Amino acid sequence: MDSDGTQEARGTHANPVPRPAGPPEVPAVPPRPPQAPAPPLPDGSAFLAWLRAPRPEAAPGVWRFGHRPRPAEELDVTPTRQLLSGAVIAFLVGWLIWSLLQNGYLGNWWWVPFDLIVPDAWRGADSDLGETGTFLVYRGYELLVALAIMVSVARLGRWGEVWRRFVAARFRRPEAQADPTVPQDDPAQWNELRAAGAVDAAERLAADARCGLMRDVDHARIQRAWQGVRTGRHSLATFTGAVLKDGAAACLHPSGERDLPARLAPHDLLTGQVRLGTAVDDARNPYTYRGAGLALGPDLLGTSLVAVGPAGSGKTGAVVRPVAESLCLHALAGRAAVVVVGGAGAGLGPADAYDVVVRIGNQDSEYDLDLYGGTSDPDEAAAVLAEGLVGDLADPHPGSDTRRSTTVLAQLLGPFRAVHGRFPSVPELRQLLDGAPGPFAALRQGLQESGHESLLRELDARERQMGQPGDVGGVLADRVALLDRPAFAGFFDTSGQSRPFTLKALDHPVRVRVDLPERGHADASRMLARLVLAQFTASVAVREDRSLFACLVLDDATGVVTPEAVRGIQRLRSGNAGVVLTLRTLDDVARPLRGPLLGATGCRMALAGLTPWDGQDFAEVWGKEWTEARDVTDRQIIAETPAGKALHAVRRVITGKAPTARAVTVRQVERERWSASELAHAVPAGHAVLSLTTVQGEHAPPLLVNLRG
């Protein structure tokens, strides 16, 4: 075993996905003269520090790498200037009171407790305790009074908080930084392998990690291969042999790559997260999220994500690109399959970061797209193709619904495949939908010669329906005509002369990018995006290995969301798959589908610049919450006596505020988590409001996130 099933991706289905060959056998170190000293091995301390970094359990979406949970309660922190000034003023007041007592300016009333407590025999010059004892009794009482004054002014001036914040923190000895992992829990020692008897393999991997020969992708990939051993898909002997032979380079991805050409976002493959930004320290965010990093992973993307924001709000650069990059890293680790769809030049990553790049409309493209999704079943091909062609017309035009379109296409695809052994090309399909006499006659003759009587009945039914009111053949022909253009002349070939990509390959950790010809062919691009989404939802439902996370990233889902697409998105979670959709506005989705779309996706993002009517849809789906409304009324206390006025003056000097009596009224009110007006006007540029749901059903409320943090 060399790949945990990833190498077996070649040649396992009828139309295998072409992939670049592995790298040539070249020495890991450039050749050098025999007498030259060997270069020092790289240091693996950085990798080991990353591997051993704490990753505590946290709320959904929190960036766990190095995360430090906040205290259980939010502390009311006094400003430093006010705290220090109050402490100094309290000390001066205490010292003044003590001086006045010592000099007798306040009378001898403070000796009254002494006369009540101390026996007469212990007082005066003829005390039974003697001169020394009497001195200790009197000075002890004075010390007790001084301590009482000090405690009072310390509480008033908050000396304890001053000590904790400024003194104890400076004189506290730095705690020894112990290794965060005890030997039996050290992930760099591969103790699971040792416990299973693969001690030599564990030693080899630990040595490669110490020498700097292992990367985060290598660690994730070998962990994935080890999971295959534990589940019984691979034998321990095969795994051990591969590790002893190649070390950290064992179980390579079919492309032979161990990392991406460049990374733009922070990734943590141990938790599977990619960091998008930071939760703002704002009162509208829950206390536990404030200041924490915000990240996405397969556990969240498995519920699908929809991001809405105008052009320039950061959908591609701050959301799509990091997510696509993370999924490509997961694919190199053998844990995911990703298909990224966007316009040509949209900035979805370099071509070297993908195994397959389909540039539709570009004659230099090495790969093609299979219109029929790689299936050999005419009914299945007809259903998927109908969704791509007329799925957006189902509601506005009742005569063009996908069910009747599926029937029409099946009436043609079945007979054509029976005669030719393949599905029709775009020009051939257009002629059949138009009802051209020549192709129909040739198809009928072929069916008669092959003896397919049932398929002849299908063809007869199609001929009877042509030209009748409500026939959708003309609509389908017009849609197919969008693909029958000179720019697409070399694409969608079914004769076997090209290298078509099919989404049946999602059983393997493949990285695919599809560039749509949005410039000059906007309608065709939207139709192809719908087709890819329909093929994706159909393919993931019948995958054999659902342990591989599959994700489709659509950089612009304008015109893609259809009733069938929403139903398909709802089924993805159970198939360990998800989609990422971005929209400039919810107006690009039919009004009856906006609520179902937001309800079908577990993660919803509203970026800065949202319109109020788009914000209203988000406000409705996020709902309301019960919160405490506090009405505080401060009434100034007026002192009537000179002593009271003096006491109030002292309090005003120490605290900086006039003495008041506060009345607080607390009410439980229900309000929207984020209102449409707040989403439209209170979200700063470069920020977004994001709600999250994990595949296990955990929720995170809408969070204000800084995508630039």
Side-chain angles (χ1 to χ4, degrees):
M1 184 204 72
D2 227 7
S3 64
D4 181 32
T6 59
Q7 294 286 0
E8 291 79 350
R10 306 174 191 261
T12 55
H13 46 81
N15 296 309
V17 180
R19 295 183 176 86
E25 294 293 337
V26 294
V29 181
R32 57 184 183 276
Q35 302 300 325
L41 290 174
D43 184 13
S45 58
F47 170 77
L48 292 177
W50 169 83
L51 187 61
R52 293 166 174 165
R55 294 171 175 85
E57 293 295 330
V62 172
W63 174 254
R64 291 173 53 192
F65 178 77
H67 173 63
R68 294 183 178 179
R70 303 190 73 177
E73 296 181 358
E74 185 174 6
L75 303 178
D76 185 12
V77 180
T78 305
T80 300
R81 181 176 180 180
Q82 179 181 345
L83 181 65
L84 293 178
S85 61
V88 172
I89 293 174
F91 171 77
L92 294 177
V93 170
W95 177 76
L96 176 62
I97 294 175
W98 175 249
S99 299
L100 294 176
L101 291 176
Q102 286 289 88
N103 295 323
Y105 291 108
L106 298 181
N108 295 324
W109 58 267
W110 60 291
W111 285 100
V112 173
F114 179 84
D115 296 336
L116 296 176
I117 298 173
V118 178
D120 294 339
W122 292 6
R123 287 179 287 177
D126 54 350
S127 171
D128 295 343
L129 300 177
E131 183 178 355
T132 303
T134 303
F135 175 81
L136 293 177
V137 169
Y138 278 84
R139 293 299 175 267
Y141 178 74
E142 291 179 354
L143 179 61
L144 184 63
V145 174
L147 289 176
I149 296 174
M150 183 180 296
V151 170
S152 300
V153 298
R155 290 177 62 87
L156 186 63
R158 289 173 288 194
W159 290 4
E161 186 175 350
V162 173
W163 174 268
R164 290 189 298 270
R165 191 186 301 186
F166 302 104
V167 181
R170 294 182 178 275
F171 287 95
R172 187 184 300 116
R173 295 182 179 180
E175 299 178 359
Q177 297 296 329
D179 192 340
T181 56
V182 294
Q184 61 268 24
D185 295 330
D186 189 353
Q189 297 301 317
W190 299 88
N191 293 301
E192 291 186 5
L193 275 66
R194 299 177 189 273
V199 179
D200 294 341
E203 290 291 346
R204 173 65 188 274
L205 294 175
D208 284 4
R210 289 192 301 269
C211 296
L213 301 178
M214 183 175 288
R215 312 168 189 174
D216 55 352
V217 178
D218 298 329
H219 184 274
R221 188 184 64 251
I222 295 173
Q223 280 282 9
R224 167 73 177 176
W226 176 246
Q227 290 177 3
V229 174
R230 291 193 303 174
T231 57
R233 289 186 291 130
H234 308 293
S235 67
L236 178 61
T238 306
F239 171 82
T240 303
V243 171
L244 292 178
K245 176 185 176 183
D246 300 321
C251 313
L252 274 181
H253 186 265
S255 65
E257 300 293 335
R258 297 172 61 186
D259 205 346
L260 296 180
R263 300 189 189 185
L264 298 181
H267 301 272
D268 184 23
L269 289 180
L270 207 61
T271 59
Q273 293 180 311
V274 53
R275 179 166 179 160
L276 297 186
T278 304
V280 179
D281 191 357
D282 186 89
R284 288 171 291 194
N285 283 343
Y287 172 71
T288 55
Y289 279 93
R290 296 177 194 172
L294 242 293
L296 295 178
D299 60 329
L300 294 169
L301 295 177
T303 63
S304 298
L305 166 69
V306 59
V308 182
S313 58
K315 299 188 300 297
T316 300
V319 180
V320 172
R321 179 69 185 273
V323 169
E325 189 176 88
S326 174
L327 293 171
C328 287
L329 290 172
H330 282 290
L332 290 179
R335 302 193 301 199
V338 56
V339 180
V340 182
V341 182
L348 301 178
D352 294 342
Y354 296 91
D355 303 315
V356 176
V357 179
V358 183
R359 298 183 174 95
I360 300 177
N362 187 338
Q363 300 303 322
D364 295 331
S365 177
E366 186 178 357
Y367 301 100
D368 195 1
L369 181 66
D370 190 345
L371 285 181
Y372 303 100
T375 182
S376 58
D377 183 0
D379 294 329
E380 181 182 349
V384 173
L385 186 58
E387 171 65 15
L389 293 178
V390 297
D392 59 329
L393 302 179
D395 285 339
H397 299 276
S400 303
D401 60 32
T402 53
R403 289 190 298 274
R404 281 189 284 178
S405 300
T406 300
T407 302
V408 170
L409 289 171
Q411 289 171 343
L412 297 174
L413 297 182
F416 192 96
R417 182 173 180 81
V419 173
H420 299 281
R422 60 177 177 85
F423 290 121
S425 62
V426 169
E428 292 170 334
L429 181 60
R430 181 182 180 184
Q431 290 178 343
L432 292 173
L433 290 171
D434 279 333
F440 254 91
L443 187 57
R444 178 178 295 277
Q445 182 180 356
L447 290 175
Q448 290 173 347
E449 293 175 354
S450 59
H452 291 88
E453 297 297 332
S454 61
L455 296 179
L456 274 173
R457 291 193 295 270
E458 293 282 342
L459 202 61
D460 292 339
R462 176 86 285 269
E463 286 183 319
R464 288 193 302 270
Q465 294 168 2
M466 286 190 304
Q468 295 183 1
D471 180 42
V472 298
V475 177
L476 290 171
D478 292 341
R479 285 304 180 95
V480 173
L482 295 175
L483 303 180
D484 190 16
R485 308 298 301 166
F488 307 133
F491 288 85
F492 318 122
D493 179 66
T494 59
S495 63
Q497 301 300 316
S498 65
R499 306 176 67 183
F501 166 74
T502 167
L503 271 77
K504 293 292 185 182
L506 295 179
D507 278 330
H508 311 287
V510 62
R511 302 169 294 166
V512 182
R513 194 184 79 192
V514 180
D515 293 345
L516 300 176
E518 292 184 346
R519 185 176 180 179
H521 301 279
D523 291 337
S525 296
R526 287 192 288 269
M527 189 166 60
L528 291 172
R530 281 196 307 273
L531 181 64
V532 172
L533 177 57
Q535 292 182 358
F536 178 82
T537 55
S539 298
V540 297
V542 295
R543 286 191 305 163
E544 296 180 2
D545 182 10
R546 296 193 177 186
S547 65
L548 196 71
F549 179 68
C551 189
L552 172 66
V553 181
L554 275 171
D555 185 42
D556 185 3
T558 301
V560 175
V561 180
T562 65
E564 185 59 35
V566 173
R567 286 190 288 267
I569 292 173
Q570 291 173 337
R571 295 191 296 263
L572 290 179
R573 186 185 305 190
S574 60
N576 193 22
V579 297
V580 177
L581 308 176
T582 67
L583 293 164
R584 294 185 181 92
T585 172
L586 286 176
D587 287 340
D588 293 333
V589 179
R591 165 57 66 180
L593 295 178
R594 296 178 193 176
L597 173 64
L598 294 176
T601 53
C603 304
R604 313 170 189 99
M605 177 182 288
L607 289 95
L610 209 67
T611 59
W613 42 92
D614 283 348
Q616 185 61 42
D617 291 319
F618 278 98
E620 290 178 0
V621 75
W622 281 330
K624 299 180 179 180
E625 63 178 348
W626 287 100
T627 184
E628 286 187 353
R630 299 171 62 89
D631 297 330
V632 181
T633 304
D634 287 337
R635 179 180 59 83
Q636 184 175 355
I637 301 176
I638 305 300
E640 299 179 355
T641 62
K645 293 180 179 180
L647 181 60
H648 286 186
V650 172
R651 289 184 58 183
R652 185 180 297 108
V653 170
I654 295 177
T655 63
K657 299 179 181 179
T660 59
R662 173 171 296 183
V664 180
T665 303
V666 180
R667 296 179 294 112
Q668 290 287 332
V669 297
E670 189 179 24
R671 65 175 181 85
E672 292 178 323
R673 298 177 185 271
W674 278 82
S675 67
S677 178
E678 288 176 329
L679 290 172
H681 306 295
V683 179
H687 291 63
V689 180
L690 171 65
S691 65
L692 302 170
T693 305
T694 68
V695 292
Q696 292 81 18
E698 298 181 69
H699 295 269
L703 307 168
L704 181 61
V705 181
N706 182 5
L707 299 177
R708 301 172 182 173

